[in-house]
Amino acid sequence: MRDTTARRVVVTGLGAVSSLGIGAHTFAAGIREGRSGVSPIRGFDASGFPRTMAGEVHDFEPRSILRRLDPEQWGRSGLFAASAARLALEDADIDPALVSRAHTGSAIGTTSGESAVIEQLTEQWVKDSFKRLDPAAIRKVPASQIATAVNAELGLSGEAQTIATACSASNYALGYAYDMVRSGEADFMFSGGADSINRWAHAGFYRLGALAESVCRPFDAHRSGILTAEGGVALLLEPLDHAVARGARIYAEVLGYGVNCDAQHPVSPDPSSIAECIRAAHRNANVEPDQIDYICAHGTGTPTNDATEVKAVREVFGDRLPPISSIKSAIGHTMGAASGFGALMCCLALYEGFLPPTANVTETDPALGPGVDPVPGTARPAAPRIVQNHGFAFGGNNAITILGRAA
Amino acid sequence: MSTLTAPVTTVTPLLITGTGVLSSAGQGLGTLQPSLSSGDAPRADLSQISDDLPPIALQAVADLNAEEYLGGKGIRHLDRTTKLALVACARALAGLPVPLTDHDKPRTGVVIGTSTGSIRSSSEFSRDTLVQEKPYLVRANLFPNSVMNCCAGQIAIRSKLRGVNATIAGGRLSSLNAIRYARNAIAGGHVDRALVGGVEELCPQSAWGWHLSKALSGEAAVGEGCAVFMVERPEDAAAAGRPALAQVLACEVSSAGAGVHHVSLAAALTQCVERALRRSEVSADQVSAVSLGCSGHVGLERIEERGVRGALGALPDRTLRITQRLGETFSASGSLQLAALLAAWQEEPGKDEVALVTSVGTEGNVGCLVVRSPSAPLSD
């Protein structure tokens, strides 16, 4: 049931700190070209691992982006989030003082919080003992610091919600932020996600048999799994009326979202439940399946994900599958930031008129059935009007957002 | 600009119709009643948690007995955070006067406040990458425990609750942030009701963290626990035949970021309380109870009290300081503060009272929840 008195909500600023570069437009250019952000791991000693490639952000210099935060006082994930939000604010070309004075908050998704800090402390524990843990590092541990970093960097005084719903967290955050602006709880919201490369996730995914050797190719017959990755992403959400009044560049309108839970298995996703989540998102956004022009897939690169995701999409769309591509092919799985990067690409696809590609695809897996168009290779010119963005997670946590071209 | 409104509108009340509580005081709301003293609580055997704990006061949940509530199947690999929350949720669901139907469950959400998930699970999983012969020789079946949403996902799996399933990391504000998230999920029509609360596990990693960071005063203990609440719309609760244990009015939170001066942090809490009262259509002089969160916390204790006094003029006669009994329960503190109020109302049925649950975090976050005792007439 849509409240007709509610405000319409648009995205007017985009920020990215990614393995493809700093800034939303640099990131998006890499995605469109089908470029790879994957490289040998430097963030931790990967020498004992059979798989040593990941989507790492090598050229991240928080001091060159941040104006208020002292990078020494914050964890890597918080710095990713704060930097992406700073970039989104600059991209929106709005008076920062106006945003700071208004009722503005943040909702940022994450899977493993300040995992790099936790691993630093764990090393101290292993090498010595708990007695030797560094108190300065201890203070950086709470995952709440991620959204708090955004508020601190931008001088915001609204709420700071860190949403830790694993790999669908950024979509959870976008949905919540949308509701806050829509209902008038907030004037502006920064939504996004952040996660850092860490040994434990790399080891965990390897042991699950889910890690690819060096190339991630979702939907391809020769896919071999995921690549772990990191980064930060932020979207500035603003009321449509306000954006129009100030002559803002409007990338897209947030139309709605759906969230649900498989409630079946911690790591094995359920297609029927995902199909229900898609329907819930469509109801919330007041759109029909035949209006969806493109799906930004969860698309991790594992055979299980592809089969499950395509089956779920078939349940809703029948024989007419919209083009469905995965940007994880280029940057790997950025975990809690993944659906935020997806949302960012959806905004630019709507604004600039293209479909983001699945890089590295040479042969679409025939086992997925007919009509699967993963937009192989490089971006395709197109004029999508309404798109949907998928995020699924351990715990059976599904979240799907719907975005539309600004009218 | 005219289009920037963020109006201070009145919130629609929600009802609490069920609770599941466990802490070092014991299990069940009754264990938090003000008439009980800490001497009544069962003593926990800390050696079951770890033999490497710091030399500070620690208070654990005694006799967790997860098997009793959850059956033996599949719980061996679960960590303490998840077990605490699973037992709390099982108690909340089993204690509903009218249980959820199969029709209700797909429309029921789970929102859990936890600052880091089980920091013990993450840290021990990470440790294996350093101490095993090969860094990848971790135990795959423990991998989900290292992810923060493990607990909320397990609750959904065990109870077949298929609505929104959110994990909210808000530091000391985790429980209040979770209640705020749940309110929006219900108001936005994503679910009809939710199990919402906060959980904190006592483990060597966090206990040593508290000890080394010197954030707590000398006599304050580090505790653990979990409290969850079934919250639903008044009309749905009435239709189902579930009476209210309390009304949830406004839940306001804000964050100005770390480094905020103490004076302005107290002022931020005052503003937060005032906004929460306006949105609840309650005046400051109607508030006759407050459940504080920061007792025993160096610096924060006085900031919180100053912030509340700034809004109310003085601390009310009934000022609960549950952390004095339970220790610092961090992510669970807000939900245990709320449980303590419900326990007080349980001892005085018929009392009409408006109360605040307040919280302040070192990172500059503040929050205020307004609740009303069940005997008060529902605003319509």
Side-chain angles (χ1 to χ4, degrees), chain A residues 14-367:
Chain A
L14 301 172
V17 178
S18 80
S19 60
L20 287 172
I22 308 297
H25 301 278
T26 307
F27 163 74
I31 293 285
R32 293 179 70 159
E33 292 162 20
R35 210 146 48 77
S36 173
V38 174
S39 62
I41 292 169
R42 288 190 228 157
F44 58 87
D45 177 8
S47 55
F49 283 98
R51 303 276 186 272
T52 57
M53 302 293 279
E56 253 182 310
V57 183
H58 290 312
D59 47 358
F60 178 46
E61 291 171 22
R63 280 178 210 286
S64 68
I65 302 169
L66 299 170
R67 307 229 182 124
R68 281 203 176 99
L69 296 190
D70 172 4
E72 298 296 320
Q73 306 291 319
W74 301 82
R76 186 169 174 86
S77 299
L79 293 171
F80 278 151
S83 299
R86 170 62 73 187
L87 293 167
L89 179 69
E90 288 170 358
D91 184 59
D93 197 19
I94 189 170
D95 176 12
L98 170 69
V99 175
S100 175
R101 272 198 316 272
H103 205 76
T104 306
S106 62
I108 309 293
T110 188
T111 291
S112 299
E114 292 295 2
S115 53
V117 178
I118 293 170
E119 295 214 305
Q120 179 195 342
L121 288 163
T122 300
E123 277 174 40
Q124 291 168 4
W125 169 34
V126 171
K127 278 190 191 140
D128 204 326
S129 71
F130 283 128
K131 288 190 184 104
R132 298 291 173 212
L133 299 184
D134 171 16
I138 290 167
R139 281 189 282 274
K140 299 180 196 169
V141 167
S144 52
Q145 297 286 68
I146 295 173
T148 301
V150 172
N151 281 34
E153 167 62 19
L154 302 181
L156 314 180
S157 60
E159 67 190 298
Q161 284 276 19
T162 302
I163 301 185
T165 310
C167 301
S168 56
S170 289
N171 257 351
Y172 262 81
L174 177 54
Y176 180 78
Y178 158 71
D179 274 343
M180 291 300 102
V181 178
R182 187 183 64 90
S183 64
E185 290 276 339
D187 289 322
F188 302 95
M189 286 290 286
F190 288 85
S191 91
D195 258 301
S196 309
I197 272 289
N198 64 84
R199 274 192 327 269
W200 100 63
H202 199 74
F205 282 111
Y206 179 76
R207 287 292 270 181
L208 287 180
L211 275 195
E213 200 154 327
S214 59
V215 181
C216 176
R217 34 178 124 244
F219 308 117
D220 191 284
H222 310 289
R223 61 172 117 49
S224 62
I226 77 162
L227 289 167
T228 55
E230 65 178 359
V233 56
L235 283 63
L236 174 60
L237 272 53
E238 178 174 357
L240 170 68
D241 292 350
H242 189 265
V244 169
R246 73 177 180 91
R249 172 175 53 187
I250 299 174
Y251 289 113
E253 178 171 4
V254 186
L255 299 177
Y257 70 105
V259 279
N260 75 354
C261 184
D262 297 352
Q264 291 189 22
H265 193 278
V267 298
S268 179
D270 173 47
S272 298
S273 177
I274 291 168
E276 272 175 43
C277 190
I278 297 172
R279 292 189 191 102
H282 289 178
R283 277 195 302 276
N284 185 255
N286 200 22
V287 300
E288 298 293 328
D290 62 9
Q291 292 176 273
I292 302 294
D293 295 322
Y294 164 72
I295 297 173
C296 190
H298 185 59
T300 56
T302 65
T304 305
N305 179 88
D306 287 357
T308 306
E309 190 162 15
V310 170
K311 186 161 191 274
V313 169
R314 273 191 208 286
E315 263 189 61
V316 176
F317 291 88
D319 292 335
R320 192 209 71 93
L321 301 182
I324 177 170
S325 72
S326 168
I327 61 170
K328 291 185 180 72
S329 55
I331 58 169
H333 193 339
T334 54
M335 307 292 156
S339 49
F341 280 117
L344 184 154
M345 284 313 298
C346 284
C347 288
L348 287 173
L350 291 161
Y351 183 69
E352 294 179 353
F354 67 92
L355 300 183
T358 308
N360 310 319
V361 171
T362 52
E363 183 192 349
T364 303
D365 186 355

Side-chain angles (χ1 to χ4, degrees), chain B residues 24-75:
Chain B
S24 59
Q27 297 196 19
L29 210 50
T31 60
L32 297 182
Q33 285 176 348
S35 62
L36 299 175
S37 73
S38 42
D40 301 325
R43 290 290 292 263
D45 176 8
L46 292 174
S47 69
Q48 288 184 345
I49 290 179
S50 171
D51 55 9
D52 189 359
L53 291 165
I56 53 173
L58 303 168
Q59 292 180 222
V61 172
D63 311 320
L64 179 55
N65 293 339
E67 294 78 3
E68 183 187 325
Y69 281 94
L70 311 171
K73 191 166 164 278
I75 68 165

Side-chain angles (χ1 to χ4, degrees), chain B residues 275-351:
Chain B
R275 184 176 163 88
L277 290 176
R278 281 199 302 277
R279 301 200 65 188
S280 304
E281 289 192 330
V282 164
S283 64
D285 55 15
Q286 286 176 278
V287 176
S288 56
V290 60
S291 189
L292 298 173
C294 294
S295 309
H297 220 292
V298 175
L300 293 184
E301 184 169 352
R302 283 162 65 184
I303 290 169
E304 184 180 29
E305 295 192 6
R306 198 188 311 150
V308 172
R309 280 200 309 270
L312 302 184
L315 290 179
D317 289 342
R318 195 205 287 271
T319 296
L320 304 180
R321 293 180 173 85
I322 194 70
T323 49
Q324 287 179 347
R325 271 179 69 192
L326 306 184
E328 167 64 60
T329 57
F330 205 53
S331 307
S333 57
S335 60
L336 287 166
Q337 288 165 250
L338 174 57
L341 272 173
L342 267 54
W345 288 336
Q346 203 179 44
E347 273 195 326
E348 292 180 70
K351 187 173 180 71

